[in-house]
Amino acid sequence: MKTIKMTDLGTLKNELNKYRKGKKFDINQFNQIARLAWLGKIVMQPLDPLAEDVKSYLLYADFPDPVNDQVLATDEDLIGRMHIVDAEQGEALAKILEEGFKERLALAQALRARDFYFSKFYGKKDKARGDEGE
């Protein structure tokens, strides 16, 4: 844990300014967080919504589902933790989060509209006649 001496007001102000600006993830970390964002596994909010000069975001990266965890290689220091992200990467992650939500919603709506029964049971009869039957 990092400690800051309270007697040095200048150092304290500098450290607070660093936190207010946020930090950038490196390319590998950003890609991992972006994948989690697409899956809806991050929660974001402005770091200080009342301060107009603070554009950074507070981000929590949740653990992926067991199936996604097997496929995605995520660093242990990224998931299950809070991060302060700079404005540029935070806005990009917010767009990825929204894009992932829309795409997952479209998949769920297509699945809901799909009728498996007719394509699987009546399709077999059509295939016996030589038709594709879809």
Side-chain angles (χ1 to χ4, degrees):
M1 181 112 210
K2 187 175 182 179
T3 60
I4 303 170
K5 293 182 180 181
M6 295 301 285
T7 56
D8 186 5
L9 190 58
T11 303
L12 181 61
K13 285 182 181 181
N14 288 338
E15 288 296 320
L16 285 174
N17 284 334
K18 278 194 229 177
Y19 283 104
R20 293 177 75 184
K21 289 180 183 176
K23 74 169 199 146
K24 284 192 177 288
F25 291 116
D26 66 26
I27 293 171
N28 186 33
Q29 292 173 331
F30 182 82
N31 284 331
Q32 291 178 42
I33 293 292
R35 290 180 188 112
L36 291 173
W38 192 93
L39 291 170
K41 291 296 184 176
I42 67 167
V43 179
M44 294 176 58
Q45 75 173 36
L47 181 63
D48 189 356
L50 300 177
E52 293 179 15
D53 62 329
V54 178
K55 304 282 189 219
S56 55
Y57 291 87
L58 186 62
L59 179 142
Y60 173 74
D62 197 7
F63 293 90
D65 298 328
V67 172
N68 291 325
D69 193 28
Q70 294 295 319
V71 176
L72 302 176
T74 52
D75 292 340
E76 293 293 322
D77 59 336
L78 289 178
I79 55 176
R81 297 181 186 223
M82 301 290 285
H83 304 277
I84 300 174
V85 185
D86 79 323
E88 183 181 22
Q89 286 188 347
E91 290 169 7
L93 288 168
K95 289 177 185 174
I96 293 168
L97 180 65
E98 181 181 3
E99 175 185 310
F101 174 77
K102 288 179 181 178
E103 289 182 26
R104 290 191 321 274
L105 179 62
L107 288 172
Q109 288 172 337
L111 181 62
R112 182 177 181 203
R114 186 170 178 190
D115 193 349
F116 288 97
Y117 184 81
F118 288 108
S119 66
K120 295 301 174 193
F121 289 98
Y122 292 113
K124 287 182 180 180
K125 292 179 183 177
D126 292 340
K127 286 181 183 175
R129 291 187 307 201
D131 298 339
E132 289 299 315
E134 185 68 24

